[in-house]
């Protein structure tokens, strides 16, 4: 949507920014909103900073809970001395809404989005964001101590830093989940290769361990994610880009892409892949699994508790487990790892208090404050023994379950350690995470080579639409509307639509960092 609306947005944005600058003055920091009032701690914090503090207005990603009333809002206020009014983006079409808010110069002081570097880069280039470089130098002692130079380097647009990133811990996030009680019922072992997966799916279809007749399917996927996690790894495609002979090559340009499509199309043709997969949404997929209509689906580990509760409610004896990294005919296997940034926080030019906004972010990255926000108090919210943080339930979940939504930048050295407490808040979730990230051999956990790439204009401009092209084409081939022979023609269209330009840019950057 960013690309579609680029020209339109630019025009509207200029008008909005002009109005904003006229209304706020060049510094935008007149503090006319008044001082934060309230707690003794807040007052002390204000005095410590040498004056009153304005109320800050923030916009954040969607949450099921109100940011303003959740426990952490008070904790942050007490620790930083800033009273904050929190608003959130909608769950659906969040970026469309954000485009409108940015273009109308809504006076937010801090905006946090998911790791949408393309949107962030667009806003920065359009002049909609405050250059944080001088503000961090002047007010960001804790920020500089917490964020690595390589993360800041990845945030630069035309040499300037416009966002504070929350760097993602590298881990495998998803794989195929299978009903192991179905395997047990049929006397089958866990599949370890593509051939064994196919054999298991055939047995699920023919012997119907779920008792669905012709209403069920052995395997189903989300229509928006037609490149199946784990299965693509068996064809040498675990991440969107892979290094081949020293260069980064996009997934559809690799030989394994055509082979994957051929395999998936054959599953569909045999009735082993859900005939309705193309219209499946994420919720539909999960409902099919928990209602016993499907025996295998791709599933992120963080969704395990909800799935497990629903499945157990319907089938008290149901069992499930992750399929290990499947090996292809030549022994290839791989599960892609997350990387990069899961949230970006920036200050729009329309902010009335940009200096206070950076001071607030900096205050939250004080080591003690950051730990208090992230995992709470020792003995109350967590225990620490033998180097491991463990949650005290249910209070940890009740009062720190949404902590990540309040983090505007993280301590990149300590947060991965604190994070142990977060994944242990549900033993089923922890078991899934541990399997994917400890029991799957390290050589099969594949890092994203573009995770910390800097702003790449061509790549950012094209990536979303190219990924949509890939998915649309994959769906057509799998359902039989296109032949695998059409891959060559598709690659020509892909390159013409920005694939070639993106590849040139990506590899120029990759060559520069590999020197």
């Amino acid at each position: 949507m960013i690309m579609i609306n680029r020209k339109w947005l630019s025009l509207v944005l200029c008008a909005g920014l002009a109005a904003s600058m006229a209304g706020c003055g060049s510094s935008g920091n007149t503090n006319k909103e008044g001082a934060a009032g309230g707690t003794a701690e807040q007052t002390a914090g204000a005095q410590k900073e040498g004056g009153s503090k304005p109320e800050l207005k923030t916009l954040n990603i969607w949450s099921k809970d109100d940011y303003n009333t959740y426990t952490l809002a008070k904790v942050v206020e007490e620790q930083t001395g800033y009273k904050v009014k929190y608003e959130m983006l909608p769950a659906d079409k969040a970026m469309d809404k954000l485009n409108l808010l940015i273009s109308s110069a809504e006076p937010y002081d801090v905006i946090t989005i998911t790791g949408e570097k393309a949107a962030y880069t667009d806003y920065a280039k359009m002049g909609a964001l405050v250059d944080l470089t001088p503000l961090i130098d002047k007010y960001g002692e804790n920020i500089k101590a917490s964020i690595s130079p390589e993360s800041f380097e990845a945030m630069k647009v035309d040499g300037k830093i416009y966002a504070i990133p929350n760097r993602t811990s590298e881990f495998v996030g998803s794989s195929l989940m299978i009903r192991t009680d179905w395997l047990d019922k049929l006397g089958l072992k866990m599949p370890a290769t593509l051939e064994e997966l196919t054999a298991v799916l055939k047995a699920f279809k023919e012997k119907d361990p779920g008792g669905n007749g012709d209403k069920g399917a052995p395997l189903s996927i989300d229509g928006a994610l037609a490149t199946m996690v784990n299965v693509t790894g068996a064809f040498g495609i675990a991440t969107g880009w892979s290094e081949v002979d020293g260069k980064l090559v996009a997934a559809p340009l690799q030989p394994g892409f055509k082979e994957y499509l051929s395999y998936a199309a054959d599953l569909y043709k045999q009735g082993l892949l859900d005939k309705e997969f193309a219209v499946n949404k994420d919720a539909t997929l999960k409902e099919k699994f928990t209602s016993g209509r499907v025996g295998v689906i791709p599933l992120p580990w963080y969704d395990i508790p909800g799935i497990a509760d629903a499945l157990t409610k319907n089938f008290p004896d149901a069992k499930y487990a992750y399929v290990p990294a499947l090996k292809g005919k030549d022994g290839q296997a791989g599960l892609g790892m997350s990387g990069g940034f899961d949230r970006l926080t920036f200050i729009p030019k329309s902010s009335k208090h940009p200096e206070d906004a950076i001071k607030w972010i900096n205050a939250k990255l004080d080591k003690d404050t950051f730990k208090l926000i992230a995992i709470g108090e020792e003995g109350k919210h967590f225990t620490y023994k033998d180097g491991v943080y463990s949650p005290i339930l249910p209070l940890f979940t009740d009062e720190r379950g949404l902590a990540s939504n309040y983090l505007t930048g993280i301590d990149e050295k300590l947060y991965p350690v604190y994070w142990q407490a977060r994944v242990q808040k549900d033993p089923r979730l922890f078991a899934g995470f541990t399997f994917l990230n400890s029991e799957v051999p390290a050589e099969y956990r594949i890092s994203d080579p573009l995770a910390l790439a800097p702003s790449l204009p061509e790549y950012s401009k094209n990536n979303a639409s190219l990924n949509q092209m890939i998915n649309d084409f994959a769906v057509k081939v799998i359902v039989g509307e296109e032949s695998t022979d059409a891959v060559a023609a598709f690659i020509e269209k892909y390159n013409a639509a920005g694939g070639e330009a993106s590849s040139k840019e990506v590899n120029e950057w990759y060559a520069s960092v590999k020197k």
Side-chain angles (χ1 to χ4, degrees), residues 191-323:
T193 66
L194 282 181
E195 285 188 351
E196 291 177 1
L197 175 65
T198 306
V200 164
L201 296 176
K202 284 182 178 178
F204 281 3
K205 176 177 173 58
E206 294 168 0
K207 300 179 181 179
D208 192 19
N212 290 293
D214 60 359
K215 296 180 180 177
L219 164 69
S220 192
I221 59 177
D222 184 337
L225 297 169
T227 47
M228 273 178 277
V229 61
N230 198 340
V231 175
T232 55
F235 293 97
I237 308 172
T239 54
W241 292 71
S242 305
E243 183 177 303
V244 180
D245 298 329
K247 292 188 175 182
L248 295 184
V249 179
L253 307 183
Q254 299 182 45
F257 181 63
K258 183 175 181 179
E259 296 171 359
Y260 164 76
L261 293 179
S262 179
Y263 175 78
D266 186 55
L267 291 183
Y268 185 84
K269 189 176 180 180
Q270 293 187 61
L272 305 180
L273 175 60
D274 183 9
K275 292 292 185 184
E276 300 172 342
F277 89 86
V279 295
N280 278 348
K281 303 297 183 186
D282 181 64
T284 318
L285 185 66
K286 291 171 180 171
E287 191 280 330
K288 286 184 175 180
F289 187 75
T290 57
S291 65
R293 294 168 58 194
V294 166
V296 185
I297 61 168
L299 188 74
W301 54 261
Y302 48 79
D303 280 342
I304 290 177
I307 290 290
D309 287 342
L311 185 62
T312 303
K313 182 179 180 180
N314 293 331
F315 307 97
D317 297 326
K319 298 177 183 177
Y320 55 88
Y322 274 127
V323 174

Side-chain angles (χ1 to χ4, degrees), residues 280-462:
N280 278 348
K281 303 297 183 186
D282 181 64
T284 318
L285 185 66
K286 291 171 180 171
E287 191 280 330
K288 286 184 175 180
F289 187 75
T290 57
S291 65
R293 294 168 58 194
V294 166
V296 185
I297 61 168
L299 188 74
W301 54 261
Y302 48 79
D303 280 342
I304 290 177
I307 290 290
D309 287 342
L311 185 62
T312 303
K313 182 179 180 180
N314 293 331
F315 307 97
D317 297 326
K319 298 177 183 177
Y320 55 88
Y322 274 127
V323 174
L326 294 164
K327 293 182 180 179
K329 61 183 180 182
D330 53 3
Q332 290 189 102
L335 294 168
M337 299 179 73
S338 62
F341 309 99
D342 61 13
R343 285 174 176 77
L344 303 177
T345 296
F346 48 77
I347 300 173
K349 280 278 182 67
S350 53
S351 166
K352 294 182 178 179
H353 313 290
E355 292 185 359
D356 284 286
I358 206 73
K359 289 177 182 176
W360 178 66
I361 293 170
N362 186 68
K364 289 163 68 179
L365 284 170
D366 169 83
K367 286 192 179 300
D368 291 338
T369 300
F370 179 75
K371 186 175 185 179
L372 180 64
I373 296 172
I375 57 173
E377 300 174 46
E378 185 171 2
K380 181 180 178 182
H381 298 99
F382 67 87
T383 60
Y384 181 69
K385 184 178 181 182
D386 300 328
V388 175
Y389 290 91
S390 301
I392 296 175
L393 300 175
L395 197 63
F396 182 90
T397 300
D398 292 343
E399 296 190 351
R400 290 299 182 274
L402 300 179
S404 57
N405 285 352
Y406 289 83
L407 301 179
T408 46
I410 63 169
D411 187 316
E412 293 185 358
K413 292 180 180 176
L414 293 176
Y415 191 53
V417 183
Y418 297 157
W419 205 68
Q420 298 166 5
R422 305 196 66 77
V423 293
Q424 291 190 74
K425 60 186 180 184
D426 187 298
R428 299 165 299 182
L429 180 154
F430 185 61
F433 176 85
T434 301
F435 175 80
L436 294 179
N437 292 283
S438 297
E439 297 176 33
V440 169
E443 62 265 33
Y444 298 147
R445 287 179 259 142
I446 312 298
S447 298
D448 178 1
L450 291 181
L452 295 181
S455 175
L456 300 171
E458 284 295 332
Y459 172 80
S460 297
K461 180 176 69 177
N462 300 320

Side-chain angles (χ1 to χ4, degrees), residues 159-176:
K160 298 178 180 177
I161 299 169
Y162 291 93
I164 306 295
N166 284 20
R167 185 165 171 172
T168 304
S169 298
E170 278 203 342
F171 54 74
V172 176
S174 182
S175 184
L176 294 177

Side-chain angles (χ1 to χ4, degrees), residues 29-250:
N29 192 24
T30 57
N31 290 354
K32 291 180 180 177
E33 292 302 299
T39 67
E41 291 87 350
Q42 180 182 342
T43 302
Q47 290 172 344
K48 185 178 178 181
E49 294 290 334
S52 61
K53 297 183 177 182
E55 178 178 292
L56 300 177
K57 183 179 178 182
T58 72
L59 180 67
N60 213 323
I61 61 174
W62 181 84
S63 170
K64 64 180 178 63
D65 295 285
D66 183 351
Y67 283 86
N68 296 288
T69 57
Y70 190 66
T71 307
L72 271 172
K74 195 68 175 175
V75 173
V76 171
E77 181 181 334
E78 291 173 351
Q79 294 299 313
T80 66
Y82 282 97
K83 188 173 182 62
V84 177
K85 180 181 180 183
Y86 296 91
E87 295 183 12
M88 69 174 86
L89 291 163
D92 296 324
K93 299 182 178 180
M95 298 311 294
D96 288 0
K97 178 67 173 180
L98 182 60
N99 287 342
L100 291 173
L101 292 173
I102 291 287
S103 65
S104 60
E106 286 295 313
Y108 291 103
D109 295 301
V110 176
I111 296 178
T112 297
I113 62 173
T114 55
E116 296 279 353
K117 282 189 69 177
Y120 155 70
T121 302
D122 273 359
Y123 294 151
K125 282 185 170 295
M126 290 172 182
L129 307 184
V130 172
D131 174 12
L132 302 184
T133 317
L135 293 179
I136 292 172
D137 282 342
K138 190 172 183 179
Y139 303 112
E141 180 180 356
N142 296 328
I143 296 172
K144 288 187 284 188
S146 300
I147 312 294
S148 66
E150 61 182 349
S151 292
F152 274 136
E153 192 64 29
M155 285 297 100
K156 288 184 178 177
V157 178
D158 297 332
K160 298 178 180 177
I161 299 169
Y162 291 93
I164 306 295
N166 284 20
R167 185 165 171 172
T168 304
S169 298
E170 278 203 342
F171 54 74
V172 176
S174 182
S175 184
L176 294 177
M177 182 66 78
I178 190 169
R179 285 283 296 270
T180 54
D181 56 317
W182 286 17
L183 291 174
D184 295 340
K185 191 173 182 178
L186 302 180
L188 301 171
K189 66 177 183 178
M190 178 69 81
T193 66
L194 282 181
E195 285 188 351
E196 291 177 1
L197 175 65
T198 306
V200 164
L201 296 176
K202 284 182 178 178
F204 281 3
K205 176 177 173 58
E206 294 168 0
K207 300 179 181 179
D208 192 19
N212 290 293
D214 60 359
K215 296 180 180 177
L219 164 69
S220 192
I221 59 177
D222 184 337
L225 297 169
T227 47
M228 273 178 277
V229 61
N230 198 340
V231 175
T232 55
F235 293 97
I237 308 172
T239 54
W241 292 71
S242 305
E243 183 177 303
V244 180
D245 298 329
K247 292 188 175 182
L248 295 184
V249 179

